[in-house]
Amino acid sequence: MGQTKTIESDLKELELNALLEVTEAINNNLSEESLYKIYHFTLLANLKVKKLALFVQSESEWNCKVFFGVDQALISSIPVDSFEDEVKVKSLRDAECHDFDHIIPVLHKSKLLALVFVGDIAETVEGFTNNSATTFLEALTNIILVAIENKKLARQQLEQEAFKKELEIAKQVQNYLFPKNLPATDQFEVAAFYQPHHNVGGDYYDYIPIDEDQFLLCIADVSGKGVPAALMMSNFQASLHTLVRQTNDLTTIVSELNHQIKFSGNGEIFITFFVAIYSKSQQTLRYVNCGHNPPLLQVNFKEDIELTKGTTVLGMFEPLPFVEMGVIENLAEFYLFCYTDGLNEAINPDEEEFGEDRILEGIKSVQNSRPNELNQAMMDAVNNFRKGQEYRDDVTILSAKFKS
């Protein structure tokens, strides 16, 4: 009887020491890997556990984090999934689970965190069983895993906060890209509509006055979304403004932009781009379409044409395989409607796309209206068409009306 009490006292002391070691490690904010190592050492060296395999569930998969006393091949053969419903310590002596004696489910707030397979925890000595050992092992594993779980949650929270801050910065960067003021006179009016698919999109539009006679209009869509897209578009906008101050030759501008995108994007980021320069004195519109949805031009408020001439998507080839500049002459008055593919690719519940034909119908239905009225009418049309279906991409519209 005295011997049993001595064994119990020794075991309690070992357990207390193990708890102190683990608690100190947690308080010192050691890494997940270090906590598993301390768990391994404590059970093997201090508590004399001979065989153990700790399986932790992560994203619906079971991963063995600690094992000793058994071969790797044995670990791979354990049918862990078949024990997912266990809520109490269970004997494995009647089960085909090799040399393990017990399975210990480790739960926290009714959530199964881990399964511990153990063998030879403590020898039965004159009325003393290994029940207390399994109970302590369950408690120790719970402490370790809850600490690791809390570290993961804290890390996820920090990552989410960092991501949120990145998005906020990207959103601010993107807001700086768009022109603060667009012309709105009886002779010339420009209006834009922008709706990102998520917090930060990859679309861009601009109006750049060149001199008293000429102005530039453009619209673009970068592949990808979020912070990388916003940063790439920021570089693109800065490069465009710099080039426009140096030249108004569209072929040169497009070629230089393509070179910079190919270089800075490492051939992995592409931009569709439409750019046009109008000369009031010459009544001429010059444009280049770089793989973008063809804008619609209403020539002298009569004939509707698509502006398709240009080149391929920017950033894909260096140099560009070809560049063809389109020229529209005798253009005393016009309506220009530009958009990104979030508009025409919007779908209804039947998976049918809004399409270019409905865009053309929308333009014709509000002829002689102001650009902002046209934009609103187009968005009303696509929203009625969608019937609540989500947009699949950013939606950007740029409309311009010029009267002589």
Side-chain angles (χ1 to χ4, degrees), residues 242-259:
T242 300
L243 287 166
V244 170
R245 287 197 298 268
Q246 297 171 354
T247 179
N248 60 9
D249 180 71
L250 289 179
T251 301
T252 300
I253 290 173
V254 166
S255 297
E256 284 299 315
L257 288 172
N258 178 71
H259 172 76

Side-chain angles (χ1 to χ4, degrees), residues 133-367:
T134 56
T135 301
F136 176 75
L137 184 53
E138 181 181 1
L140 185 68
T141 308
N142 187 283
I143 291 170
I144 286 280
L145 289 180
V146 168
I148 290 172
E149 191 79 5
N150 289 338
K151 288 172 73 71
K152 286 180 181 177
L153 291 174
R155 186 167 62 245
Q156 288 173 0
Q157 187 174 0
L158 287 173
E159 289 172 353
Q160 287 174 355
E161 289 175 0
F163 181 67
K164 187 177 178 181
K165 190 170 291 183
E166 280 186 0
L167 282 180
E168 198 59 40
I169 293 170
K171 195 171 183 179
Q172 291 176 6
V173 168
Q174 192 171 48
N175 287 336
Y176 290 135
L177 300 184
F178 301 126
K180 294 295 178 285
N181 299 299
L182 294 173
T185 66
D186 291 338
Q187 183 189 31
F188 181 41
E189 185 173 1
V190 178
F193 173 87
Y194 171 64
Q195 178 177 288
H197 184 226
H198 296 296
N199 289 329
V200 180
D203 287 359
Y204 161 65
Y205 66 85
D206 214 339
Y207 158 76
I208 306 174
I210 298 173
D211 52 39
E212 292 184 359
D213 180 54
Q214 298 181 100
F215 60 82
L216 179 147
L217 290 168
C218 70
I219 190 168
D221 184 0
V222 63
S223 62
K225 298 292 176 281
V227 177
L231 292 176
M232 173 56 76
M233 204 55 92
S234 175
N235 291 335
F236 182 83
Q237 186 249 25
S239 299
L240 174 62
H241 279 247
T242 300
L243 287 166
V244 170
R245 287 197 298 268
Q246 297 171 354
T247 179
N248 60 9
D249 180 71
L250 289 179
T251 301
T252 300
I253 290 173
V254 166
S255 297
E256 284 299 315
L257 288 172
N258 178 71
H259 172 76
Q260 293 187 28
I261 296 165
K262 187 75 167 71
F263 176 75
S264 58
N266 296 318
E268 297 177 358
I269 295 180
F270 314 111
I271 295 180
T272 66
F273 179 53
F274 171 84
V275 58
I277 293 178
Y278 181 70
S279 169
K280 304 172 190 175
S281 61
Q282 297 178 11
Q283 296 186 347
T284 300
L285 182 79
R286 295 176 292 117
Y287 75 88
V288 176
N289 188 333
C290 307
H292 197 80
N293 301 91
L296 293 164
L297 181 71
Q298 197 173 75
V299 179
N300 298 323
F301 302 141
K302 296 176 183 178
E303 179 189 4
D304 295 311
I305 62 172
E306 289 187 339
L307 304 181
T308 58
K309 292 183 179 179
T311 184
T312 187
V313 175
L314 301 182
M316 189 173 291
F317 303 103
E318 170 59 26
L320 289 167
F322 63 92
V323 180
E324 182 183 10
M325 185 174 68
V327 180
I328 311 294
E329 298 179 318
N330 300 318
L331 188 64
E333 299 177 321
F334 65 86
Y335 225 140
L336 179 65
F337 183 81
C338 310
Y339 61 95
T340 57
D341 54 15
L343 180 66
N344 61 289
E345 291 180 359
I347 59 171
N348 63 13
D350 296 325
E351 297 287 321
E352 182 185 7
E353 290 190 349
F354 189 63
E356 288 80 2
D357 291 341
R358 289 187 179 86
I359 292 175
L360 184 58
E361 289 173 10
I363 294 173
K364 289 181 177 179
S365 67
V366 287
Q367 282 185 337

Side-chain angles (χ1 to χ4, degrees), residues 33-69:
E33 183 181 358
S34 297
L35 289 177
Y36 280 129
K37 285 182 179 178
I38 290 172
Y39 177 81
H40 182 160
F41 177 80
T42 300
L43 296 180
L44 183 62
N46 293 350
L47 299 182
K48 309 301 181 184
V49 176
K50 296 178 181 178
K51 298 174 184 177
L52 178 137
L54 170 66
F55 287 88
V56 179
Q57 194 171 40
S58 176
E59 297 179 0
S60 302
E61 290 185 358
W62 288 100
N63 297 306
C64 187
K65 296 294 187 179
V66 177
F67 75 92
F68 54 82

